[in-house]
Amino acid sequence: MVWDAPAVERAIGFFRDVLRLNGGEFEGKPFLLLPWQCFIVGSLFGWKLGDGSRRFRMAYVETGKGSGKSPLSAGIGLYGMVADGEPRAEIYAAASKKDQAMVLFRDAVAMVRMSPALSGRLGFSGGPGREWNIDYLQAGSFFRPISSDDGQSGPRPHVALLDEIHEHRDNTMVEMLRAGTKGRRQALIFMITNSGANRTGVCYQYHLYAADVCAGVKTDDSFFAYVCAVDEGDDPLADPSCWAKANPSLGHTFQTRYLEEQVNQARGMPSKEAIVRRLNFCEWTDAAEHWIGSDLWDRAQADDIDVEALRGLPCWLGLDLSSKRDLTALAAAWRHPDGALSAAVWFWTPGDTLDERARIDNVPYRAWVSEGHLLAPPGRIIDKGHVAQFVGRLAVEHDVQAMAYDQAQADDFLRACDDIGLDAWIDDGEGSGDGLRMIRHGQGFAGYQSASTMWMPRSIGALEEAIVGGTLRVRRNPVLTWNSASAVLLTDPSGNRKWDKRKATGRIDGMVALTMAVGAALALRESVGTSFWES
């Protein structure tokens, strides 16, 4: 690789000498890049490969709101259009919604209109305030907005500027634009965003990839990343000293007073806290009433749990069956001699509706299936027989003590067990049976601490205590992470809690199954009998 200093000076000089800022106190002033912006522009245009082409083909920039990402992005697009030597350059301002794409595009329009060097060379389609295209006839180039809603196909971008990646429903726009760059030797995909509230979306995937590339965990010399955020353990609502970590333009494009106002409102309005943490401090938030901190959940997950190695340990299951096309989830919790738990969760979804439901739920079901995180047998509903066979194998291979179950769909599951020859019996506290022992687990507030019924408030408390205390390790699964990030608790006047599927931001079936399995493992004795509650 080669560091091309003249190319860096030319690109940074383009902002200073050609472009003018717009809006408020910055109206008409030269675009003097801040140090962090110089680093980005210099890195993108300065690093070259041996053949003279640029090293970076994709860039991901994540900072707090108000840092000036959109004007920076617009300036990069204009440079690619008029100063990059690319004939018939196609420049796109892309977003999930046309209104969002227009934010970045309007910055470009204003820069052109205020630039003595550009205003006489470039033209517009659409009247003042209604522009939809910037053209550079001399080179046959254009700059225009595009959104996922347009349904456009066939763009061949030289520079594609993707705004607010965290609002993109899926990776369709990114991949469409990337596919169009194959004929462009110097093409650049430039993505900018705040942090988001969806840890299964396309933005979080790029966020994690960016972190891995920067840390050297993954090698990708064509991918540039610049990610700003407060560190784990920082509390921006209590400690202003960490604010600059997520806001590289603090004191320039906006002042400390703005963040002080945002923080004060977040302290007085809990409903605003998640938004402030996400937009201003780049903390990836989940549901507004999330049941547990994402940092605690992350620490509970493990990649080294080998189910086969857990044979011989007492095991408890939790089963949450879907009614029609929802997820079906089965959880297993193994108890070690020291009382610690290892757990895993498996998921099923109908194979015939996989793509349809991926669009509805806005998650990559097909990718999860191919990676082995989700089972998708053929059909439009889940055949209980598939689940019964899986449970039967676990019962044969592991020391399964009992399975906690939701009463809904239980009769169908028992019939499926009969069909495949799996003995199963419901322990009502009055006798014993042969085969798989099943114990009813209530899903609501009401329940009985008796020999025949478990209840959700107690199991939720047991799960939380195990996670907070570090005694539970759960095999990592992105489907379960999505469920956890979507989960919301509902509390009754007595302080009892249950999962609230109506307020959940996504599906939570895996968390329901895990709660039942862990609750059973921590509450039930290992022996079969009429009294199985721990004293």
Side-chain angles (χ1 to χ4, degrees):
M1 295 181 188
V2 177
W3 175 250
D4 188 345
V8 174
E9 295 169 359
R10 185 170 186 267
I12 292 176
F14 176 83
F15 282 80
R16 178 191 63 238
D17 301 332
V18 176
L19 300 182
R20 297 292 182 269
L21 292 168
N22 65 294
E25 62 183 289
F26 302 104
E27 184 77 14
K29 293 184 177 180
F31 197 154
L32 302 178
L33 294 177
L34 296 173
W36 73 276
Q37 295 171 323
C38 285
F39 174 74
I40 292 173
V41 173
S43 297
L44 294 179
F45 292 96
W47 281 113
K48 303 288 183 64
L49 300 177
D51 62 0
S53 62
R54 287 194 290 264
R55 165 189 178 181
F56 293 115
R57 302 273 291 184
M58 293 192 72
Y60 175 87
V61 177
E62 179 182 331
T63 72
K65 183 178 178 62
S67 296
K69 297 186 295 295
S70 292
L72 174 66
S73 183
I76 289 174
L78 290 172
Y79 183 86
M81 180 182 180
V82 305
D84 215 15
E86 182 77 7
R88 300 188 182 278
E90 298 181 17
I91 315 297
Y92 293 97
S96 61
K97 299 288 186 181
K98 178 59 73 70
D99 289 347
Q100 185 62 51
M102 289 299 296
V103 172
L104 193 158
F105 181 72
R106 281 195 294 267
D107 280 334
V109 170
M111 287 180 184
V112 171
R113 290 199 179 280
M114 289 188 295
S115 170
L118 296 181
S119 57
R121 301 171 65 189
L122 306 183
F124 300 95
S125 299
R130 301 188 303 276
E131 299 90 347
W132 57 269
N133 183 76
I134 306 173
D135 59 73
Y136 182 32
L137 297 180
Q138 179 179 329
S141 303
F142 64 79
F143 188 152
R144 64 183 57 156
I146 185 176
S147 70
S148 300
D149 297 334
D150 290 336
Q152 181 172 340
S153 62
R156 296 180 294 176
H158 173 54
V159 178
L161 312 165
L162 289 104
D163 198 5
E164 301 295 7
I165 293 295
H166 71 273
E167 294 184 2
H168 285 233
R169 293 186 292 270
D170 52 38
N171 207 28
T172 301
M173 175 62 78
V174 179
E175 292 303 320
M176 180 184 72
L177 292 171
R178 284 190 68 186
T181 65
K182 61 180 178 293
R184 300 277 189 179
R185 182 167 175 265
Q186 298 271 58
L188 173 66
I189 303 291
F190 189 76
M191 300 179 285
I192 60 175
T193 192
N194 298 124
S195 298
N198 180 1
R199 290 175 181 258
T200 60
V202 57
C203 187
Y204 194 63
Q205 294 174 28
Y206 279 114
H207 171 90
L208 293 178
Y209 189 74
D212 285 345
V213 170
C214 288
V217 175
K218 295 179 179 177
T219 300
D220 186 345
D221 285 331
S222 68
F223 189 89
F224 174 85
Y226 191 91
V227 179
C228 298
V230 296
D231 289 314
E232 185 175 349
D234 286 340
D235 184 0
L237 301 191
D239 180 14
S241 68
C242 68
W243 291 356
K245 296 178 182 180
N247 297 281
S249 296
L250 181 60
H252 297 280
T253 59
F254 63 95
Q255 302 302 316
T256 304
R257 178 180 176 182
Y258 166 77
L259 289 182
E260 291 173 345
E261 293 170 350
Q262 295 297 305
V263 167
N264 287 335
Q265 291 181 10
R267 289 171 179 162
M269 293 186 292
S271 61
K272 189 176 180 179
E273 180 178 343
I275 298 175
V276 170
R277 288 185 179 276
R278 178 172 64 82
L279 295 183
N280 299 115
F281 302 113
C282 292
E283 293 185 288
W284 281 81
T285 58
D286 300 310
E289 303 170 72
H290 187 45
W291 71 287
I292 199 168
S294 58
D295 56 337
L296 288 172
W297 175 249
D298 289 341
R299 285 200 291 270
Q301 298 181 92
D303 295 311
D304 59 351
I305 293 179
D306 182 1
V307 171
E308 298 300 317
L310 298 173
R311 291 186 180 187
L313 294 177
C315 175
W316 288 262
L317 306 180
L319 179 62
D320 185 54
L321 292 165
S322 60
S323 57
K324 293 182 180 178
R325 297 190 301 169
D326 295 339
L327 293 177
T328 283
L330 173 70
W334 294 265
R335 191 157 71 187
H336 295 270
D338 62 358
L341 298 177
S342 293
V345 181
W346 297 268
F347 295 89
W348 289 263
T349 196
D352 289 4
T353 60
L354 195 63
D355 293 329
E356 173 190 349
R357 298 185 60 249
R359 289 191 296 270
I360 295 173
D361 292 346
N362 192 25
V363 289
Y365 279 136
R366 190 163 292 280
W368 287 342
V369 171
S370 64
E371 294 165 1
H373 304 300
L374 175 66
L375 301 171
R380 300 188 66 83
I381 61 173
I382 294 296
D383 184 348
K384 304 298 189 296
H386 292 292
V387 183
Q389 289 177 343
F390 195 95
V391 171
R393 286 197 297 271
L394 280 177
V396 170
E397 297 172 358
H398 292 266
D399 185 14
V400 175
Q401 302 293 310
M403 184 176 77
Y405 71 95
D406 178 7
Q407 182 63 33
Q409 310 295 314
D411 292 341
D412 290 341
F413 178 76
L414 286 172
R415 282 192 290 271
C417 290
D418 287 340
D419 291 341
I420 66 168
L422 172 62
D423 291 331
W425 61 285
I426 294 178
D427 188 348
D428 57 6
E430 298 182 357
S432 61
D434 296 323
L436 177 68
R437 176 188 178 201
M438 297 176 57
I439 300 167
R440 182 180 175 183
H441 193 298
Q443 304 298 300
F445 293 127
Y448 306 93
Q449 296 188 33
S450 68
S452 60
T453 307
M454 298 184 68
W455 64 322
M456 190 56 73
R458 178 170 178 173
S459 293
I460 287 174
L463 176 64
E464 289 178 337
E465 289 177 9
I467 291 176
V468 173
T471 59
L472 173 66
R473 297 173 73 249
V474 184
R475 188 173 65 177
R476 193 181 304 277
N477 185 319
V479 189
L480 185 61
T481 298
W482 170 48
N483 286 187
S484 173
S486 303
V488 176
L489 289 173
L490 185 64
T491 306
D492 71 3
S494 299
N496 298 314
R497 296 173 301 161
K498 69 171 185 175
W499 299 116
D500 190 349
K501 290 192 174 183
R502 292 175 301 174
K503 291 186 178 180
T505 59
R507 304 200 183 278
I508 63 172
D509 310 87
M511 290 309 305
V512 173
L514 180 64
T515 303
M516 292 193 289
V518 170
L522 294 177
L524 302 182
R525 295 187 183 278
E526 297 175 19
S527 60
V528 176
T530 59
S531 178
F532 48 74
W533 289 96
E534 296 280 13
S535 59

